[in-house]
Amino acid sequence: MSPSRRRALLFVVPGAVLALALVVAVSGIPDFGSMIHEYARHVDRSAERQRHVSNLVVSVVFDYRGIDTLGEESILFTAVMGAALLLRGSRAVLEQMPRDPSGSDAVRGYGSAFVPVVLLVGLWTVAFGYVTPGGGFQGGVVLGSAAFLVWVVGSYSVFRRVTPELLIHVAEGAAVVGFVTVGLVALPHGEPYLTNVLPLGTPGQLTSGGTIAVLNGITGLAVAAGVVLLFHEFLQEQIQTLPGAREERG
Amino acid sequence: MTALQAVVLTLVGIVGVATVLCYDPRRQAVVNGLFGLLLTLLFTVLAAPDVAMSAIVVSSVVYPAVVLVTVNRTRHPGPERPERQDGGPARDPAGSGGDR
């Protein structure tokens, strides 16, 4: 008997015991939504009254725990910059890169129809982030995927023309700086860093939330720019695998 | 736990095992995308729409794209890199330049 078959047979009995134990354990744990944390209860009671937003998750992310989101922004920025630094090697001119047009008419047809739809959905998710489920992160990644769809439908040169590198870099940096600066706005008011000091408005409208609205938009810009930068680097690597690619180091 | 939640959880488990059982990394990346789609469904059914919105893009679009590009790039070294003389493992017999 081959070693892999022996291993498979050895697994059958312990596997069955493990499966039974897992089923018993999972059926014994409390139901979803049966134990609500005290903090969640507090946010549910007071967040809409205190911050005038209807998306309580966003109120926690950008206001109550805004400092954690600042850390997340830095992580995203560092990760994208790290990937760009590691993958930055080829300086081949865009016109000399091998052509990679999309081969399928169906992809081109349906994709072209969907690019503006995805773009609009992304912009809407960012804009209404504090009114309906969504937010800066969610809308930002949807916008990044709209850019990716441009590559799927067209070629790499079209993708690069639609997302100019300088603009994306400036957007990414400006968004991170903007987040830090919005926090500083609270300091002249005598409040701690990142306190919500702008007028709060009426919940359920676009003009609500104060700094939550501003931070939401800034995060959307940062995440979208970060995802597009990531795609820049990785699709450039993909281009190098095509026949006819010429890689110039340094 | 409602019936819908149980069904989606079971599907997540099945597709997770299927992802592991795939042999070719390129196929595995696509099945992982399907796994991400089912995870998104699970998050929606568990009343977490914000997480679901992030999960659907990250695990269906960004992650399979990054994995596929990495697999392509490491399997087919660029024109300037020296090819292995002894015929290394995982060499694509068709020798094509990778597909999109």
Side-chain angles (χ1 to χ4, degrees), chain A residues 48-99:
Chain A
E48 181 149 6
R49 190 178 14 99
Q50 287 180 350
R51 296 290 181 262
H52 293 207
V53 290
S54 36
N55 185 348
L56 301 184
V57 174
V58 159
S59 78
V60 172
V61 164
F62 291 121
D63 193 323
Y64 291 120
R65 304 301 309 169
I67 197 75
D68 294 339
T69 310
L70 179 61
E72 280 179 49
E73 284 301 309
S74 319
I75 291 174
L76 178 69
F77 181 76
T78 314
V80 167
M81 287 302 130
L85 269 171
L86 282 174
L87 294 174
R88 190 66 58 86
S90 160
R91 291 270 171 252
V93 179
L94 200 57
E95 285 70 33
Q96 293 170 349
M97 287 188 176
R99 311 223 127 276

Side-chain angles (χ1 to χ4, degrees), chain A residues 36-50 64:
Chain A
I36 307 227
H37 194 258
E38 186 54 45
Y39 189 77
R41 254 191 278 264
H42 177 78
V43 168
D44 200 25
R45 271 198 306 265
S46 354
E48 181 149 6
R49 190 178 14 99
Q50 287 180 350
Y64 291 120

Side-chain angles (χ1 to χ4, degrees), chain A residues 41-210:
Chain A
R41 254 191 278 264
H42 177 78
V43 168
D44 200 25
R45 271 198 306 265
S46 354
E48 181 149 6
R49 190 178 14 99
Q50 287 180 350
R51 296 290 181 262
H52 293 207
V53 290
S54 36
N55 185 348
L56 301 184
V57 174
V58 159
S59 78
V60 172
V61 164
F62 291 121
D63 193 323
Y64 291 120
R65 304 301 309 169
I67 197 75
D68 294 339
T69 310
L70 179 61
E72 280 179 49
E73 284 301 309
S74 319
I75 291 174
L76 178 69
F77 181 76
T78 314
V80 167
M81 287 302 130
L85 269 171
L86 282 174
L87 294 174
R88 190 66 58 86
S90 160
R91 291 270 171 252
V93 179
L94 200 57
E95 285 70 33
Q96 293 170 349
M97 287 188 176
R99 311 223 127 276
D100 62 326
S102 166
S104 158
D105 281 338
V107 168
R108 268 201 299 268
Y110 287 115
S112 312
F114 266 109
V115 166
V117 173
V118 177
L119 185 69
L120 269 177
V121 168
L123 287 173
W124 174 80
T125 309
V126 172
F128 283 83
Y130 43 93
V131 179
T132 52
F137 291 107
Q138 290 80 359
V141 286
V142 173
L143 287 173
S145 73
F148 183 68
L149 194 53
V150 169
W151 174 71
V152 170
V153 165
S155 64
Y156 182 66
S157 53
V158 172
F159 172 73
R160 285 294 296 269
R161 266 190 276 274
V162 165
T163 58
E165 187 136 8
L166 183 64
L167 181 68
I168 302 295
H169 277 292
V170 166
E172 172 84 0
V176 177
V177 165
F179 200 109
V180 174
T181 313
V182 167
L184 289 174
V185 164
L187 293 180
H189 294 253
E191 303 277 354
Y193 182 72
L194 272 179
T195 310
N196 200 339
V197 290
L198 294 179
L200 287 176
T202 49
Q205 307 284 326
L206 268 183
T207 56
S208 59

Side-chain angles (χ1 to χ4, degrees), chain B residues 12-92:
Chain B
V12 166
I14 292 174
V15 177
V17 171
T19 313
V20 171
L21 290 178
C22 287
Y23 186 68
D24 184 17
R26 291 193 236 182
R27 189 167 296 179
Q28 203 172 23
V30 177
V31 180
N32 204 333
L34 179 65
F35 176 74
L37 183 65
L38 276 173
L39 265 186
T40 305
L41 207 57
L42 178 67
F43 293 146
T44 313
V45 162
L46 291 176
D50 294 339
V51 185
M53 273 195 224
S54 312
I56 183 126
V57 177
V58 167
S59 53
S60 306
V61 176
V62 180
Y63 180 69
V66 164
V67 166
L68 279 172
V69 169
T70 310
V71 165
N72 263 350
R73 187 66 162 125
T74 52
R75 270 184 175 189
H76 303 285
E80 297 295 291
R81 301 236 180 92
E83 301 280 78
R84 287 184 59 163
Q85 295 306 307
D86 54 8
R91 174 65 54 95
D92 189 352

